[in-house]
mmCIF file with all atom_site columns, all heavy atoms in Angstrom:
data_model
loop_
_atom_site.group_PDB
_atom_site.id
_atom_site.type_symbol
_atom_site.label_atom_id
_atom_site.label_alt_id
_atom_site.label_comp_id
_atom_site.label_asym_id
_atom_site.label_entity_id
_atom_site.label_seq_id
_atom_site.pdbx_PDB_ins_code
_atom_site.Cartn_x
_atom_site.Cartn_y
_atom_site.Cartn_z
_atom_site.occupancy
_atom_site.B_iso_or_equiv
_atom_site.pdbx_formal_charge
_atom_site.auth_seq_id
_atom_site.auth_comp_id
_atom_site.auth_asym_id
_atom_site.auth_atom_id
_atom_site.pdbx_PDB_model_num
ATOM 1   N N   . PHE S 1 3   ? 115.048 99.534 138.854 1.00 0.00 ? 3   PHE S N   1
ATOM 2   C CA  . PHE S 1 3   ? 115.853 98.373 138.706 1.00 0.00 ? 3   PHE S CA  1
ATOM 3   C C   . PHE S 1 3   ? 116.773 98.426 137.608 1.00 0.00 ? 3   PHE S C   1
ATOM 4   O O   . PHE S 1 3   ? 116.279 98.496 136.439 1.00 0.00 ? 3   PHE S O   1
ATOM 5   C CB  . PHE S 1 3   ? 114.983 97.220 138.730 1.00 0.00 ? 3   PHE S CB  1
ATOM 6   C CG  . PHE S 1 3   ? 114.190 96.963 139.929 1.00 0.00 ? 3   PHE S CG  1
ATOM 7   C CD1 . PHE S 1 3   ? 112.784 97.397 139.998 1.00 0.00 ? 3   PHE S CD1 1
ATOM 8   C CD2 . PHE S 1 3   ? 114.829 96.367 141.110 1.00 0.00 ? 3   PHE S CD2 1
ATOM 9   C CE1 . PHE S 1 3   ? 112.206 97.265 141.354 1.00 0.00 ? 3   PHE S CE1 1
ATOM 10  C CE2 . PHE S 1 3   ? 114.168 96.172 142.309 1.00 0.00 ? 3   PHE S CE2 1
ATOM 11  C CZ  . PHE S 1 3   ? 112.790 96.611 142.292 1.00 0.00 ? 3   PHE S CZ  1
ATOM 12  N N   . VAL S 1 214 ? 109.409 81.469 138.658 1.00 0.00 ? 214 VAL S N   1
ATOM 13  C CA  . VAL S 1 214 ? 110.221 82.108 137.670 1.00 0.00 ? 214 VAL S CA  1
ATOM 14  C C   . VAL S 1 214 ? 111.432 82.925 138.265 1.00 0.00 ? 214 VAL S C   1
ATOM 15  O O   . VAL S 1 214 ? 112.571 82.897 137.706 1.00 0.00 ? 214 VAL S O   1
ATOM 16  C CB  . VAL S 1 214 ? 109.351 82.924 136.722 1.00 0.00 ? 214 VAL S CB  1
ATOM 17  C CG1 . VAL S 1 214 ? 108.926 84.270 137.369 1.00 0.00 ? 214 VAL S CG1 1
ATOM 18  C CG2 . VAL S 1 214 ? 110.113 83.237 135.368 1.00 0.00 ? 214 VAL S CG2 1
ATOM 19  N N   . VAL S 1 215 ? 111.121 83.514 139.310 1.00 0.00 ? 215 VAL S N   1
ATOM 20  C CA  . VAL S 1 215 ? 112.106 84.455 139.948 1.00 0.00 ? 215 VAL S CA  1
ATOM 21  C C   . VAL S 1 215 ? 113.161 83.504 140.633 1.00 0.00 ? 215 VAL S C   1
ATOM 22  O O   . VAL S 1 215 ? 114.382 83.725 140.378 1.00 0.00 ? 215 VAL S O   1
ATOM 23  C CB  . VAL S 1 215 ? 111.429 85.364 141.000 1.00 0.00 ? 215 VAL S CB  1
ATOM 24  C CG1 . VAL S 1 215 ? 112.540 86.034 141.801 1.00 0.00 ? 215 VAL S CG1 1
ATOM 25  C CG2 . VAL S 1 215 ? 110.661 86.469 140.214 1.00 0.00 ? 215 VAL S CG2 1
ATOM 26  N N   . VAL S 1 216 ? 112.735 82.553 141.349 1.00 0.00 ? 216 VAL S N   1
ATOM 27  C CA  . VAL S 1 216 ? 113.723 81.633 142.059 1.00 0.00 ? 216 VAL S CA  1
ATOM 28  C C   . VAL S 1 216 ? 114.579 80.868 141.152 1.00 0.00 ? 216 VAL S C   1
ATOM 29  O O   . VAL S 1 216 ? 115.807 80.867 141.243 1.00 0.00 ? 216 VAL S O   1
ATOM 30  C CB  . VAL S 1 216 ? 112.866 80.700 143.063 1.00 0.00 ? 216 VAL S CB  1
ATOM 31  C CG1 . VAL S 1 216 ? 113.949 79.550 143.472 1.00 0.00 ? 216 VAL S CG1 1
ATOM 32  C CG2 . VAL S 1 216 ? 112.265 81.320 144.103 1.00 0.00 ? 216 VAL S CG2 1
ATOM 33  N N   . ASP S 1 217 ? 113.959 80.269 140.045 1.00 0.00 ? 217 ASP S N   1
ATOM 34  C CA  . ASP S 1 217 ? 114.748 79.556 139.047 1.00 0.00 ? 217 ASP S CA  1
ATOM 35  C C   . ASP S 1 217 ? 115.749 80.509 138.212 1.00 0.00 ? 217 ASP S C   1
ATOM 36  O O   . ASP S 1 217 ? 116.738 80.109 138.019 1.00 0.00 ? 217 ASP S O   1
ATOM 37  C CB  . ASP S 1 217 ? 113.772 78.840 138.075 1.00 0.00 ? 217 ASP S CB  1
ATOM 38  C CG  . ASP S 1 217 ? 113.153 77.609 138.859 1.00 0.00 ? 217 ASP S CG  1
ATOM 39  O OD1 . ASP S 1 217 ? 113.647 77.231 139.893 1.00 0.00 ? 217 ASP S OD1 1
ATOM 40  O OD2 . ASP S 1 217 ? 112.237 77.091 138.483 1.00 0.00 ? 217 ASP S OD2 1
ATOM 41  N N   . ASP S 1 218 ? 115.199 81.564 137.888 1.00 0.00 ? 218 ASP S N   1
ATOM 42  C CA  . ASP S 1 218 ? 115.979 82.448 137.168 1.00 0.00 ? 218 ASP S CA  1
ATOM 43  C C   . ASP S 1 218 ? 117.280 82.946 137.901 1.00 0.00 ? 218 ASP S C   1
ATOM 44  O O   . ASP S 1 218 ? 118.190 83.014 137.308 1.00 0.00 ? 218 ASP S O   1
ATOM 45  C CB  . ASP S 1 218 ? 115.278 83.817 136.595 1.00 0.00 ? 218 ASP S CB  1
ATOM 46  C CG  . ASP S 1 218 ? 114.261 83.363 135.288 1.00 0.00 ? 218 ASP S CG  1
ATOM 47  O OD1 . ASP S 1 218 ? 114.452 82.337 134.714 1.00 0.00 ? 218 ASP S OD1 1
ATOM 48  O OD2 . ASP S 1 218 ? 113.327 84.127 135.084 1.00 0.00 ? 218 ASP S OD2 1
ATOM 49  N N   . HIS S 1 219 ? 116.985 83.137 139.141 1.00 0.00 ? 219 HIS S N   1
ATOM 50  C CA  . HIS S 1 219 ? 118.107 83.439 139.985 1.00 0.00 ? 219 HIS S CA  1
ATOM 51  C C   . HIS S 1 219 ? 119.059 82.316 140.134 1.00 0.00 ? 219 HIS S C   1
ATOM 52  O O   . HIS S 1 219 ? 120.248 82.419 139.876 1.00 0.00 ? 219 HIS S O   1
ATOM 53  C CB  . HIS S 1 219 ? 117.642 83.867 141.336 1.00 0.00 ? 219 HIS S CB  1
ATOM 54  C CG  . HIS S 1 219 ? 118.847 84.107 142.308 1.00 0.00 ? 219 HIS S CG  1
ATOM 55  N ND1 . HIS S 1 219 ? 119.153 83.285 143.275 1.00 0.00 ? 219 HIS S ND1 1
ATOM 56  C CD2 . HIS S 1 219 ? 119.788 85.103 142.406 1.00 0.00 ? 219 HIS S CD2 1
ATOM 57  C CE1 . HIS S 1 219 ? 120.198 83.581 143.962 1.00 0.00 ? 219 HIS S CE1 1
ATOM 58  N NE2 . HIS S 1 219 ? 120.624 84.780 143.458 1.00 0.00 ? 219 HIS S NE2 1
ATOM 59  N N   . LEU S 1 220 ? 118.587 81.124 140.487 1.00 0.00 ? 220 LEU S N   1
ATOM 60  C CA  . LEU S 1 220 ? 119.346 80.012 140.853 1.00 0.00 ? 220 LEU S CA  1
ATOM 61  C C   . LEU S 1 220 ? 119.987 79.478 139.422 1.00 0.00 ? 220 LEU S C   1
ATOM 62  O O   . LEU S 1 220 ? 121.205 79.052 139.591 1.00 0.00 ? 220 LEU S O   1
ATOM 63  C CB  . LEU S 1 220 ? 118.487 78.828 141.366 1.00 0.00 ? 220 LEU S CB  1
ATOM 64  C CG  . LEU S 1 220 ? 118.434 78.529 142.793 1.00 0.00 ? 220 LEU S CG  1
ATOM 65  C CD1 . LEU S 1 220 ? 118.894 79.849 143.714 1.00 0.00 ? 220 LEU S CD1 1
ATOM 66  C CD2 . LEU S 1 220 ? 117.082 77.940 143.253 1.00 0.00 ? 220 LEU S CD2 1
ATOM 67  N N   . ILE S 1 223 ? 120.269 83.288 135.311 1.00 0.00 ? 223 ILE S N   1
ATOM 68  C CA  . ILE S 1 223 ? 119.626 83.891 134.067 1.00 0.00 ? 223 ILE S CA  1
ATOM 69  C C   . ILE S 1 223 ? 120.101 85.257 133.953 1.00 0.00 ? 223 ILE S C   1
ATOM 70  O O   . ILE S 1 223 ? 119.808 86.102 134.905 1.00 0.00 ? 223 ILE S O   1
ATOM 71  C CB  . ILE S 1 223 ? 118.244 83.592 133.920 1.00 0.00 ? 223 ILE S CB  1
ATOM 72  C CG1 . ILE S 1 223 ? 117.997 82.075 133.943 1.00 0.00 ? 223 ILE S CG1 1
ATOM 73  C CG2 . ILE S 1 223 ? 117.680 84.313 132.689 1.00 0.00 ? 223 ILE S CG2 1
ATOM 74  C CD1 . ILE S 1 223 ? 118.662 81.323 132.753 1.00 0.00 ? 223 ILE S CD1 1
ATOM 75  N N   . ILE S 1 226 ? 115.810 88.038 130.162 1.00 0.00 ? 226 ILE S N   1
ATOM 76  C CA  . ILE S 1 226 ? 114.555 87.277 129.972 1.00 0.00 ? 226 ILE S CA  1
ATOM 77  C C   . ILE S 1 226 ? 113.828 87.811 128.983 1.00 0.00 ? 226 ILE S C   1
ATOM 78  O O   . ILE S 1 226 ? 113.375 89.047 128.803 1.00 0.00 ? 226 ILE S O   1
ATOM 79  C CB  . ILE S 1 226 ? 113.700 87.496 131.369 1.00 0.00 ? 226 ILE S CB  1
ATOM 80  C CG1 . ILE S 1 226 ? 114.440 86.890 132.615 1.00 0.00 ? 226 ILE S CG1 1
ATOM 81  C CG2 . ILE S 1 226 ? 112.330 86.972 131.277 1.00 0.00 ? 226 ILE S CG2 1
ATOM 82  C CD1 . ILE S 1 226 ? 113.755 87.077 133.907 1.00 0.00 ? 226 ILE S CD1 1
ATOM 83  N N   . LEU S 1 238 ? 105.798 92.732 140.019 1.00 0.00 ? 238 LEU S N   1
ATOM 84  C CA  . LEU S 1 238 ? 105.746 91.802 141.050 1.00 0.00 ? 238 LEU S CA  1
ATOM 85  C C   . LEU S 1 238 ? 107.170 90.983 140.981 1.00 0.00 ? 238 LEU S C   1
ATOM 86  O O   . LEU S 1 238 ? 107.780 90.831 142.101 1.00 0.00 ? 238 LEU S O   1
ATOM 87  C CB  . LEU S 1 238 ? 104.678 90.794 140.745 1.00 0.00 ? 238 LEU S CB  1
ATOM 88  C CG  . LEU S 1 238 ? 104.077 89.873 141.687 1.00 0.00 ? 238 LEU S CG  1
ATOM 89  C CD1 . LEU S 1 238 ? 103.743 88.425 141.221 1.00 0.00 ? 238 LEU S CD1 1
ATOM 90  C CD2 . LEU S 1 238 ? 104.828 89.855 143.076 1.00 0.00 ? 238 LEU S CD2 1
ATOM 91  N N   . HIS S 1 239 ? 107.671 90.669 139.841 1.00 0.00 ? 239 HIS S N   1
ATOM 92  C CA  . HIS S 1 239 ? 108.841 89.691 139.816 1.00 0.00 ? 239 HIS S CA  1
ATOM 93  C C   . HIS S 1 239 ? 110.069 90.623 140.249 1.00 0.00 ? 239 HIS S C   1
ATOM 94  O O   . HIS S 1 239 ? 110.826 90.091 140.944 1.00 0.00 ? 239 HIS S O   1
ATOM 95  C CB  . HIS S 1 239 ? 109.098 89.332 138.267 1.00 0.00 ? 239 HIS S CB  1
ATOM 96  C CG  . HIS S 1 239 ? 107.868 88.542 137.784 1.00 0.00 ? 239 HIS S CG  1
ATOM 97  N ND1 . HIS S 1 239 ? 107.564 88.244 136.482 1.00 0.00 ? 239 HIS S ND1 1
ATOM 98  C CD2 . HIS S 1 239 ? 106.923 87.841 138.462 1.00 0.00 ? 239 HIS S CD2 1
ATOM 99  C CE1 . HIS S 1 239 ? 106.475 87.473 136.245 1.00 0.00 ? 239 HIS S CE1 1
ATOM 100 N NE2 . HIS S 1 239 ? 106.108 87.272 137.554 1.00 0.00 ? 239 HIS S NE2 1
ATOM 101 N N   . LEU S 1 240 ? 110.009 91.908 139.880 1.00 0.00 ? 240 LEU S N   1
ATOM 102 C CA  . LEU S 1 240 ? 111.134 92.729 140.217 1.00 0.00 ? 240 LEU S CA  1
ATOM 103 C C   . LEU S 1 240 ? 111.116 92.957 141.799 1.00 0.00 ? 240 LEU S C   1
ATOM 104 O O   . LEU S 1 240 ? 112.244 92.849 142.411 1.00 0.00 ? 240 LEU S O   1
ATOM 105 C CB  . LEU S 1 240 ? 110.790 94.188 139.547 1.00 0.00 ? 240 LEU S CB  1
ATOM 106 C CG  . LEU S 1 240 ? 111.621 94.623 138.433 1.00 0.00 ? 240 LEU S CG  1
ATOM 107 C CD1 . LEU S 1 240 ? 112.450 93.535 137.763 1.00 0.00 ? 240 LEU S CD1 1
ATOM 108 C CD2 . LEU S 1 240 ? 110.770 95.317 137.323 1.00 0.00 ? 240 LEU S CD2 1
ATOM 109 N N   . LEU S 1 241 ? 110.016 93.027 142.300 1.00 0.00 ? 241 LEU S N   1
ATOM 110 C CA  . LEU S 1 241 ? 109.840 93.167 143.863 1.00 0.00 ? 241 LEU S CA  1
ATOM 111 C C   . LEU S 1 241 ? 110.339 91.989 144.481 1.00 0.00 ? 241 LEU S C   1
ATOM 112 O O   . LEU S 1 241 ? 111.009 91.999 145.479 1.00 0.00 ? 241 LEU S O   1
ATOM 113 C CB  . LEU S 1 241 ? 108.337 93.541 144.183 1.00 0.00 ? 241 LEU S CB  1
ATOM 114 C CG  . LEU S 1 241 ? 107.988 94.880 144.574 1.00 0.00 ? 241 LEU S CG  1
ATOM 115 C CD1 . LEU S 1 241 ? 108.988 95.995 144.476 1.00 0.00 ? 241 LEU S CD1 1
ATOM 116 C CD2 . LEU S 1 241 ? 106.666 95.305 144.063 1.00 0.00 ? 241 LEU S CD2 1
ATOM 117 N N   . LEU S 1 242 ? 109.958 90.851 143.900 1.00 0.00 ? 242 LEU S N   1
ATOM 118 C CA  . LEU S 1 242 ? 110.405 89.586 144.312 1.00 0.00 ? 242 LEU S CA  1
ATOM 119 C C   . LEU S 1 242 ? 111.984 89.306 144.411 1.00 0.00 ? 242 LEU S C   1
ATOM 120 O O   . LEU S 1 242 ? 112.564 88.943 145.339 1.00 0.00 ? 242 LEU S O   1
ATOM 121 C CB  . LEU S 1 242 ? 109.819 88.366 143.576 1.00 0.00 ? 242 LEU S CB  1
ATOM 122 C CG  . LEU S 1 242 ? 108.737 87.378 144.134 1.00 0.00 ? 242 LEU S CG  1
ATOM 123 C CD1 . LEU S 1 242 ? 108.228 87.864 145.535 1.00 0.00 ? 242 LEU S CD1 1
ATOM 124 C CD2 . LEU S 1 242 ? 107.727 87.145 143.193 1.00 0.00 ? 242 LEU S CD2 1
ATOM 125 N N   . TRP S 1 243 ? 112.590 89.816 143.349 1.00 0.00 ? 243 TRP S N   1
ATOM 126 C CA  . TRP S 1 243 ? 114.016 89.713 143.257 1.00 0.00 ? 243 TRP S CA  1
ATOM 127 C C   . TRP S 1 243 ? 114.684 90.548 144.371 1.00 0.00 ? 243 TRP S C   1
ATOM 128 O O   . TRP S 1 243 ? 115.590 90.160 145.060 1.00 0.00 ? 243 TRP S O   1
ATOM 129 C CB  . TRP S 1 243 ? 114.525 90.310 141.923 1.00 0.00 ? 243 TRP S CB  1
ATOM 130 C CG  . TRP S 1 243 ? 114.455 89.382 140.702 1.00 0.00 ? 243 TRP S CG  1
ATOM 131 C CD1 . TRP S 1 243 ? 113.473 89.159 139.867 1.00 0.00 ? 243 TRP S CD1 1
ATOM 132 C CD2 . TRP S 1 243 ? 115.503 88.558 140.391 1.00 0.00 ? 243 TRP S CD2 1
ATOM 133 N NE1 . TRP S 1 243 ? 113.775 88.223 139.018 1.00 0.00 ? 243 TRP S NE1 1
ATOM 134 C CE2 . TRP S 1 243 ? 115.102 87.790 139.158 1.00 0.00 ? 243 TRP S CE2 1
ATOM 135 C CE3 . TRP S 1 243 ? 116.866 88.272 140.724 1.00 0.00 ? 243 TRP S CE3 1
ATOM 136 C CZ2 . TRP S 1 243 ? 115.845 86.930 138.439 1.00 0.00 ? 243 TRP S CZ2 1
ATOM 137 C CZ3 . TRP S 1 243 ? 117.619 87.344 139.985 1.00 0.00 ? 243 TRP S CZ3 1
ATOM 138 C CH2 . TRP S 1 243 ? 117.163 86.692 138.927 1.00 0.00 ? 243 TRP S CH2 1
ATOM 139 N N   . GLU S 1 244 ? 113.901 91.756 144.645 1.00 0.00 ? 244 GLU S N   1
ATOM 140 C CA  . GLU S 1 244 ? 114.487 92.711 145.634 1.00 0.00 ? 244 GLU S CA  1
ATOM 141 C C   . GLU S 1 244 ? 114.347 92.122 147.004 1.00 0.00 ? 244 GLU S C   1
ATOM 142 O O   . GLU S 1 244 ? 115.239 92.086 147.853 1.00 0.00 ? 244 GLU S O   1
ATOM 143 C CB  . GLU S 1 244 ? 113.849 93.948 145.412 1.00 0.00 ? 244 GLU S CB  1
ATOM 144 C CG  . GLU S 1 244 ? 114.441 95.160 146.130 1.00 0.00 ? 244 GLU S CG  1
ATOM 145 C CD  . GLU S 1 244 ? 113.616 95.445 147.466 1.00 0.00 ? 244 GLU S CD  1
ATOM 146 O OE1 . GLU S 1 244 ? 112.392 95.080 147.481 1.00 0.00 ? 244 GLU S OE1 1
ATOM 147 O OE2 . GLU S 1 244 ? 114.211 96.048 148.392 1.00 0.00 ? 244 GLU S OE2 1
ATOM 148 N N   . ARG S 1 245 ? 113.105 91.573 147.382 1.00 0.00 ? 245 ARG S N   1
ATOM 149 C CA  . ARG S 1 245 ? 112.722 91.154 148.838 1.00 0.00 ? 245 ARG S CA  1
ATOM 150 C C   . ARG S 1 245 ? 113.528 89.864 149.059 1.00 0.00 ? 245 ARG S C   1
ATOM 151 O O   . ARG S 1 245 ? 113.825 89.601 150.139 1.00 0.00 ? 245 ARG S O   1
ATOM 152 C CB  . ARG S 1 245 ? 111.188 90.823 148.736 1.00 0.00 ? 245 ARG S CB  1
ATOM 153 C CG  . ARG S 1 245 ? 110.366 91.934 148.383 1.00 0.00 ? 245 ARG S CG  1
ATOM 154 C CD  . ARG S 1 245 ? 109.723 92.678 149.470 1.00 0.00 ? 245 ARG S CD  1
ATOM 155 N NE  . ARG S 1 245 ? 110.074 94.081 149.260 1.00 0.00 ? 245 ARG S NE  1
ATOM 156 C CZ  . ARG S 1 245 ? 109.279 95.077 149.274 1.00 0.00 ? 245 ARG S CZ  1
ATOM 157 N NH1 . ARG S 1 245 ? 107.991 94.936 149.652 1.00 0.00 ? 245 ARG S NH1 1
ATOM 158 N NH2 . ARG S 1 245 ? 109.625 96.255 149.086 1.00 0.00 ? 245 ARG S NH2 1
ATOM 159 N N   . LEU S 1 246 ? 113.767 89.067 147.936 1.00 0.00 ? 246 LEU S N   1
ATOM 160 C CA  . LEU S 1 246 ? 114.656 87.950 148.218 1.00 0.00 ? 246 LEU S CA  1
ATOM 161 C C   . LEU S 1 246 ? 116.167 88.276 148.286 1.00 0.00 ? 246 LEU S C   1
ATOM 162 O O   . LEU S 1 246 ? 116.976 87.280 148.505 1.00 0.00 ? 246 LEU S O   1
ATOM 163 C CB  . LEU S 1 246 ? 114.456 86.909 146.953 1.00 0.00 ? 246 LEU S CB  1
ATOM 164 C CG  . LEU S 1 246 ? 113.570 85.738 147.183 1.00 0.00 ? 246 LEU S CG  1
ATOM 165 C CD1 . LEU S 1 246 ? 112.894 85.499 148.361 1.00 0.00 ? 246 LEU S CD1 1
ATOM 166 C CD2 . LEU S 1 246 ? 112.633 85.509 145.773 1.00 0.00 ? 246 LEU S CD2 1
ATOM 167 N N   . GLY S 1 247 ? 116.446 89.278 148.137 1.00 0.00 ? 247 GLY S N   1
ATOM 168 C CA  . GLY S 1 247 ? 117.864 89.902 148.312 1.00 0.00 ? 247 GLY S CA  1
ATOM 169 C C   . GLY S 1 247 ? 118.728 89.740 147.188 1.00 0.00 ? 247 GLY S C   1
ATOM 170 O O   . GLY S 1 247 ? 119.993 89.665 147.247 1.00 0.00 ? 247 GLY S O   1
ATOM 171 N N   . TRP S 1 248 ? 118.194 89.744 146.036 1.00 0.00 ? 248 TRP S N   1
ATOM 172 C CA  . TRP S 1 248 ? 119.007 89.494 144.698 1.00 0.00 ? 248 TRP S CA  1
ATOM 173 C C   . TRP S 1 248 ? 118.900 90.644 143.871 1.00 0.00 ? 248 TRP S C   1
ATOM 174 O O   . TRP S 1 248 ? 119.045 90.575 142.571 1.00 0.00 ? 248 TRP S O   1
ATOM 175 C CB  . TRP S 1 248 ? 118.379 88.178 144.066 1.00 0.00 ? 248 TRP S CB  1
ATOM 176 C CG  . TRP S 1 248 ? 118.324 87.077 144.886 1.00 0.00 ? 248 TRP S CG  1
ATOM 177 C CD1 . TRP S 1 248 ? 119.121 86.579 145.858 1.00 0.00 ? 248 TRP S CD1 1
ATOM 178 C CD2 . TRP S 1 248 ? 117.371 86.053 144.723 1.00 0.00 ? 248 TRP S CD2 1
ATOM 179 N NE1 . TRP S 1 248 ? 118.828 85.492 146.401 1.00 0.00 ? 248 TRP S NE1 1
ATOM 180 C CE2 . TRP S 1 248 ? 117.733 84.983 145.698 1.00 0.00 ? 248 TRP S CE2 1
ATOM 181 C CE3 . TRP S 1 248 ? 116.225 85.709 143.935 1.00 0.00 ? 248 TRP S CE3 1
ATOM 182 C CZ2 . TRP S 1 248 ? 116.861 83.832 145.973 1.00 0.00 ? 248 TRP S CZ2 1
ATOM 183 C CZ3 . TRP S 1 248 ? 115.535 84.494 144.175 1.00 0.00 ? 248 TRP S CZ3 1
ATOM 184 C CH2 . TRP S 1 248 ? 115.834 83.532 145.076 1.00 0.00 ? 248 TRP S CH2 1
ATOM 185 N N   . LYS S 1 249 ? 118.715 91.761 144.453 1.00 0.00 ? 249 LYS S N   1
ATOM 186 C CA  . LYS S 1 249 ? 118.494 93.105 143.626 1.00 0.00 ? 249 LYS S CA  1
ATOM 187 C C   . LYS S 1 249 ? 119.619 93.287 142.650 1.00 0.00 ? 249 LYS S C   1
ATOM 188 O O   . LYS S 1 249 ? 119.350 93.824 141.458 1.00 0.00 ? 249 LYS S O   1
ATOM 189 C CB  . LYS S 1 249 ? 118.402 94.307 144.493 1.00 0.00 ? 249 LYS S CB  1
ATOM 190 C CG  . LYS S 1 249 ? 117.834 95.510 143.883 1.00 0.00 ? 249 LYS S CG  1
ATOM 191 C CD  . LYS S 1 249 ? 117.461 96.583 144.883 1.00 0.00 ? 249 LYS S CD  1
ATOM 192 C CE  . LYS S 1 249 ? 116.838 97.856 144.272 1.00 0.00 ? 249 LYS S CE  1
ATOM 193 N NZ  . LYS S 1 249 ? 117.810 98.712 143.683 1.00 0.00 ? 249 LYS S NZ  1
ATOM 194 N N   . ASP S 1 250 ? 120.790 92.981 143.028 1.00 0.00 ? 250 ASP S N   1
ATOM 195 C CA  . ASP S 1 250 ? 122.052 93.154 142.172 1.00 0.00 ? 250 ASP S CA  1
ATOM 196 C C   . ASP S 1 250 ? 122.133 92.270 140.975 1.00 0.00 ? 250 ASP S C   1
ATOM 197 O O   . ASP S 1 250 ? 122.999 92.404 140.152 1.00 0.00 ? 250 ASP S O   1
ATOM 198 C CB  . ASP S 1 250 ? 123.251 93.073 142.996 1.00 0.00 ? 250 ASP S CB  1
ATOM 199 C CG  . ASP S 1 250 ? 123.329 94.236 144.113 1.00 0.00 ? 250 ASP S CG  1
ATOM 200 O OD1 . ASP S 1 250 ? 122.649 95.218 143.809 1.00 0.00 ? 250 ASP S OD1 1
ATOM 201 O OD2 . ASP S 1 250 ? 124.020 93.987 145.051 1.00 0.00 ? 250 ASP S OD2 1
ATOM 202 N N   . GLU S 1 251 ? 121.236 91.139 141.106 1.00 0.00 ? 251 GLU S N   1
ATOM 203 C CA  . GLU S 1 251 ? 121.439 90.209 139.982 1.00 0.00 ? 251 GLU S CA  1
ATOM 204 C C   . GLU S 1 251 ? 120.267 90.171 139.093 1.00 0.00 ? 251 GLU S C   1
ATOM 205 O O   . GLU S 1 251 ? 120.011 89.282 138.380 1.00 0.00 ? 251 GLU S O   1
ATOM 206 C CB  . GLU S 1 251 ? 121.589 88.846 140.629 1.00 0.00 ? 251 GLU S CB  1
ATOM 207 C CG  . GLU S 1 251 ? 122.865 88.671 141.385 1.00 0.00 ? 251 GLU S CG  1
ATOM 208 C CD  . GLU S 1 251 ? 122.875 87.585 142.258 1.00 0.00 ? 251 GLU S CD  1
ATOM 209 O OE1 . GLU S 1 251 ? 122.385 87.638 143.472 1.00 0.00 ? 251 GLU S OE1 1
ATOM 210 O OE2 . GLU S 1 251 ? 123.274 86.417 142.000 1.00 0.00 ? 251 GLU S OE2 1
ATOM 211 N N   . ILE S 1 252 ? 119.315 91.145 139.173 1.00 0.00 ? 252 ILE S N   1
ATOM 212 C CA  . ILE S 1 252 ? 118.111 91.309 138.334 1.00 0.00 ? 252 ILE S CA  1
ATOM 213 C C   . ILE S 1 252 ? 118.581 91.211 136.844 1.00 0.00 ? 252 ILE S C   1
ATOM 214 O O   . ILE S 1 252 ? 119.483 91.914 136.436 1.00 0.00 ? 252 ILE S O   1
ATOM 215 C CB  . ILE S 1 252 ? 117.386 92.437 138.552 1.00 0.00 ? 252 ILE S CB  1
ATOM 216 C CG1 . ILE S 1 252 ? 116.661 92.356 139.936 1.00 0.00 ? 252 ILE S CG1 1
ATOM 217 C CG2 . ILE S 1 252 ? 116.404 92.740 137.527 1.00 0.00 ? 252 ILE S CG2 1
ATOM 218 C CD1 . ILE S 1 252 ? 115.744 93.537 140.444 1.00 0.00 ? 252 ILE S CD1 1
ATOM 219 N N   . PRO S 1 253 ? 117.861 90.350 136.063 1.00 0.00 ? 253 PRO S N   1
ATOM 220 C CA  . PRO S 1 253 ? 118.177 90.171 134.706 1.00 0.00 ? 253 PRO S CA  1
ATOM 221 C C   . PRO S 1 253 ? 117.658 91.329 133.883 1.00 0.00 ? 253 PRO S C   1
ATOM 222 O O   . PRO S 1 253 ? 116.759 92.128 134.306 1.00 0.00 ? 253 PRO S O   1
ATOM 223 C CB  . PRO S 1 253 ? 117.594 88.942 134.282 1.00 0.00 ? 253 PRO S CB  1
ATOM 224 C CG  . PRO S 1 253 ? 116.480 88.670 135.254 1.00 0.00 ? 253 PRO S CG  1
ATOM 225 C CD  . PRO S 1 253 ? 116.945 89.333 136.610 1.00 0.00 ? 253 PRO S CD  1
ATOM 226 N N   . TYR S 1 255 ? 115.282 92.584 130.904 1.00 0.00 ? 255 TYR S N   1
ATOM 227 C CA  . TYR S 1 255 ? 114.064 92.093 130.295 1.00 0.00 ? 255 TYR S CA  1
ATOM 228 C C   . TYR S 1 255 ? 113.748 92.655 128.952 1.00 0.00 ? 255 TYR S C   1
ATOM 229 O O   . TYR S 1 255 ? 114.152 93.753 128.519 1.00 0.00 ? 255 TYR S O   1
ATOM 230 C CB  . TYR S 1 255 ? 112.805 92.596 131.259 1.00 0.00 ? 255 TYR S CB  1
ATOM 231 C CG  . TYR S 1 255 ? 112.709 91.857 132.379 1.00 0.00 ? 255 TYR S CG  1
ATOM 232 C CD1 . TYR S 1 255 ? 113.395 92.254 133.583 1.00 0.00 ? 255 TYR S CD1 1
ATOM 233 C CD2 . TYR S 1 255 ? 111.919 90.621 132.540 1.00 0.00 ? 255 TYR S CD2 1
ATOM 234 C CE1 . TYR S 1 255 ? 113.303 91.627 134.825 1.00 0.00 ? 255 TYR S CE1 1
ATOM 235 C CE2 . TYR S 1 255 ? 111.794 90.050 133.829 1.00 0.00 ? 255 TYR S CE2 1
ATOM 236 C CZ  . TYR S 1 255 ? 112.544 90.497 134.822 1.00 0.00 ? 255 TYR S CZ  1
ATOM 237 O OH  . TYR S 1 255 ? 112.284 89.754 136.128 1.00 0.00 ? 255 TYR S OH  1
#
Side-chain angles (χ1 to χ4, degrees):
Chain S
F3 294 99
V214 75
V215 171
V216 168
D217 286 344
D218 284 340
H219 173 256
L220 261 23
I223 299 302
I226 295 178
L238 201 220
H239 303 159
L240 259 11
L241 253 12
L242 243 14
W243 277 88
E244 192 257 338
R245 307 262 125 127
L246 254 6
W248 306 328
K249 192 167 187 283
D250 295 339
E251 295 161 275
I252 285 181
Y255 286 86

